[in-house]
Amino acid sequence: MSSAAANPDSISESLLAFWADAGVDAMLLDEAVDRIAAGRIAPPKPPERKIAPVAAPSPARAAQPDVSAAVAQAQALAEAADSLEALAAAIAGFDGCPLKFEGAASQAVVYRGHADAPVMVIGEGPGADEDRQGQPFVGRAGQLLDRMLSAAGLTDRVLITNTVFWRPPGNRTPTPAEQAVCAPFVARAIALVKPKMLLLVGGASAKAMLQKDEGILSMRGRWHDWRSSDGALELPALPTLHPAFLLRQPAAKKRAWADLLTLTERLDQPERPIA
Ligand code: URA
């Protein structure tokens, strides 16, 4: 008897080496063994998740911060801007909106479109794509908006902007305080472009622009009056559904389309001669 044959360890080793050379890398029994039921392995623990306790909103937290100083500063900067380019530069240099330091990774997102457009489209606020590219409505929702505007013959007749100019963190809805701080710039853009009407895209835009606490589904498709805070400007405004909502609820597209037809019908009405 050789010494190798006498040593069970070396027999096992050479057998394993032989199987490994033959490409065998696992050994299975004919029947599966439930080792958890057999008590040999503890059941896997669900991954530990760190969930921050959700505090009930206290009246103090729910209250909006006092932004009157930031609004006054925005007002002064906006009034001094005598062109859209100057307005965009003033917005980019303005530090009074906290979103600039919270959600925005890169830059202010101000407007795109035609400076003499008869329709001003006002959305909610930039998302990640807009933040990256520096232009409003350029992500998936924006592409749908563009297709809808094109189908309605409005591509060259709009200027597109938002109620806030920096991306809210996690794409949350901008707060009324954030919208209030940006409002003087939005109003100045309207004064400079002098559109005939506003298309308010989504509930957060319609509520902020019209100062109404009504749901978008009841506001949409009806004409409302937008007035600047000093009362100097007044325009018809049509709320409609947000394209991000339409991406989730395609069946609602027909209502948004009906809204666009309502808008184009009014836009293309011949101006009444003054009697
Ligand atoms: N949603 C908006 O409301 N505005 C944008 O610019 C992009 C997405």
Side-chain angles (χ1 to χ4, degrees):
M1 192 184 279
S2 74
S3 60
N7 183 346
D9 284 349
S10 64
I11 295 173
S12 307
E13 273 168 24
S14 55
L15 196 54
L16 284 173
F18 168 76
W19 281 336
D21 284 347
V24 177
D25 58 5
M27 286 196 287
L28 303 175
L29 299 176
D30 289 339
E31 296 290 328
V33 178
D34 184 347
R35 297 191 193 280
I36 293 174
R40 301 264 307 273
I41 298 177
K45 282 192 199 147
E48 235 178 74
R49 277 207 239 139
K50 291 200 177 97
I51 300 174
V54 179
S58 66
R61 283 186 58 183
Q64 294 295 314
D66 180 5
V67 287
S68 47
V71 171
Q73 196 197 351
Q75 199 110 41
L77 288 168
E79 273 164 25
D82 56 4
S83 67
L84 277 180
E85 293 75 25
L87 186 66
I91 292 169
F94 176 63
D95 289 344
C97 179
L99 289 175
K100 181 171 183 177
F101 307 101
E102 287 175 10
S106 39
Q107 55 199 313
V109 177
V110 184
Y111 68 90
R112 72 176 167 99
H114 298 263
D116 57 353
V119 179
M120 197 143 147
V121 178
I122 304 178
E124 173 177 317
D129 293 311
E130 290 74 21
D131 183 39
R132 257 192 307 275
Q133 296 183 42
Q135 293 213 317
F137 280 107
V138 291
R140 272 186 76 219
Q143 287 157 20
L144 174 58
L145 178 68
D146 280 350
R147 290 198 296 278
M148 292 167 60
L149 294 172
S150 163
L154 290 168
T155 302
D156 296 329
R157 306 175 82 187
V158 294
L159 182 124
I160 303 176
T161 187
N162 281 303
T163 61
V164 297
F165 305 106
W166 294 270
R167 179 192 182 198
N171 291 347
R172 66 159 168 75
T173 305
T175 64
E178 290 155 356
Q179 290 174 312
V181 169
C182 294
F185 295 118
V186 179
R188 185 68 185 145
I190 295 171
L192 289 166
V193 175
K194 300 186 187 70
K196 287 186 181 166
M197 55 195 65
L198 306 178
L199 181 65
L200 307 178
V201 173
S205 166
K207 282 185 193 180
M209 294 300 293
L210 301 173
Q211 296 289 295
K212 285 190 182 168
D213 197 13
E214 229 180 293
I216 185 64
L217 292 176
S218 76
M219 277 195 277
R220 62 148 280 273
R222 288 188 290 120
W223 287 103
H224 300 250
D225 289 326
W226 172 81
R227 274 189 205 86
S228 58
S229 58
D230 59 3
L233 286 172
E234 205 172 315
L235 281 177
L238 187 71
T240 191
L241 301 172
H242 197 285
F245 173 76
L246 301 178
L247 288 171
R248 293 192 300 273
Q249 305 276 338
K253 282 183 187 170
K254 57 179 179 292
R255 285 189 270 177
W257 180 243
D259 298 346
L260 283 185
L261 295 183
T262 300
L263 183 122
T264 50
E265 193 182 82
R266 183 163 186 162
L267 185 61
D268 293 331
Q269 256 171 20
E271 308 246 334
R272 281 202 212 115
I274 299 165

